[in-house]
Amino acid sequence: MKYRSLALFSTLVLGAGLAACSSGDSSDGSGSGRTALDVWLMRDSVSAGFQKEFETGFEKAHPGIDLKIQIQEWEGIGEKVTAALASNDAPDVIEVGNTQVAQYAQSGGLTDFSDRVDELRGGDWLKGLAEPGSYDGKQYGIPYYAANRVVIHRTDLFERAGVDPASIRTRDQWIAATRKLDKGGTQGIYLPGQNWYVLSGFVWDEGGDLAVKSGGGWKGGLDSPEALRAMDFYQRLQALGKGPKDSDESQPPQAEVMAKGQVAQIIAVPGGAKVIEEKNPELKGKLGFFPIPGKSADRPGAVFTGGSDLVVPAVAAHQEEAFTFIRELTGDAWQKKLAVAMSYVPNKTTLADAVSGDPGTAAMAAGAANGHATPNTPQWAAVEAKNPVKEYMTAVLTGEDTASEAAKASRTITDTLNSGS
């Protein structure tokens, strides 16, 4: 399975112009009287085999609908969706990154599904997909699938150090185990200094957030007591390896670093294991997975939930048929098949058993139960463009005062989030 970078789940690059959308006709043009339902799904969100199986099953169950799925590229999709929502010729259903729903809903361009959440069993949805799918108290995005980070570890190095990964249930146990691993020529963990998604999980674990609503606006939260405790933990964990303090997980690619053979753990999506094995075939069969540990043993650590939601343009011609499509694709039967076919986390916590046979995805699903998303505001993309969180992390890891640097980063977040209000 090829995983997209989780960064794509948080910010999409805006670029290409509007391509042809749906025809808006109620017929498929063949004289059959069937409704042509135009759907945009993103590259690699489904395999060709799954797409064919779903189309066949859906049209058999709903013979009055002619399903027309178009695969879209991530590059430039933001501008393309924005243009489609403003047109009179939009597709009926669009897959969007979960954290993009707010920016599209803000314009009034999406259909509100608040009164149909119960019909879709929304009470079981993953929090990290459902919350960013809402805006201003209304549910516009319907959770589709999720992916999140886990700990990828070297089983042979753990065994040599006398560490049982199954015994690592808390952050304190994780630190103790990583200290045992961080000896000789082995790095206990490779954790770059600017992996702000991982820091975010620790902030959420402590009960804080990157930003909170305050007095009708937003206030940066990195200087809260909870966030300061999270940074302290990140600093202690990061010190048990040789990760660079001034770059993130993509520079250099952390899977390639682990493939060199001197790293016991990284924090990544499970698909990173395939990259490691491709770069170093000698590590095949020597990689395992466990959820990021939490503060207590009864709950895994909080994680950033990447993934997609399904939305319906307000101007879509076939609203009821679009809902039928969403109800099917996000329903239990097809969610189980999609999870197995694509190594995704299903959209409901009640479906985690569907991936129990895949160790990496099972670890990911366990963590997804404590999934979160970035602050639910259209202005968050502007924060990521500046990324004061990365600058803050590097400053602290290179010896600057944590409290003063946190206050500085929080002011930048506050100013950026409120500049568009």
Side-chain angles (χ1 to χ4, degrees), residues 32 43 88 150 157 169 175 220 273 281 286 302 320 345 352 377-378 416:
S32 65
R43 176 71 61 193
N88 293 318
V150 301
L157 295 181
R169 302 289 301 280
I175 286 282
K286 297 180 180 179
E320 195 58 36
V345 177
T377 165
T416 304

Side-chain angles (χ1 to χ4, degrees), residues 299-342:
R299 192 181 193 194
V303 290
F304 168 72
T305 302
S308 289
D309 282 9
L310 298 174
V311 300
V312 174
V315 296
H318 310 116
Q319 294 283 326
E320 195 58 36
E321 291 87 350
F323 180 78
T324 298
F325 171 88
I326 288 175
R327 186 180 61 213
E328 290 281 0
L329 188 54
T330 66
D332 290 7
W334 286 107
Q335 278 289 302
K336 290 178 181 178
K337 291 182 178 181
L338 179 68
V340 172
M342 303 300 296

Side-chain angles (χ1 to χ4, degrees), residues 274-297:
K274 287 183 170 45
V275 177
I276 295 167
E277 292 173 351
E278 288 171 1
K279 295 292 181 180
N280 185 353
E282 292 183 4
L283 295 182
K284 191 173 181 63
K286 297 180 180 179
L287 299 175
F289 313 87
F290 58 87
I292 295 173
K295 289 194 69 177
S296 60

Side-chain angles (χ1 to χ4, degrees), residues 172 175 179 231-240:
D172 288 342
I175 286 282
R179 283 200 184 103
M231 188 63 221
D232 176 70
F233 179 77
Y234 191 100
Q235 191 169 14
R236 289 190 287 133
L237 185 64
Q238 200 270 340
L240 298 175

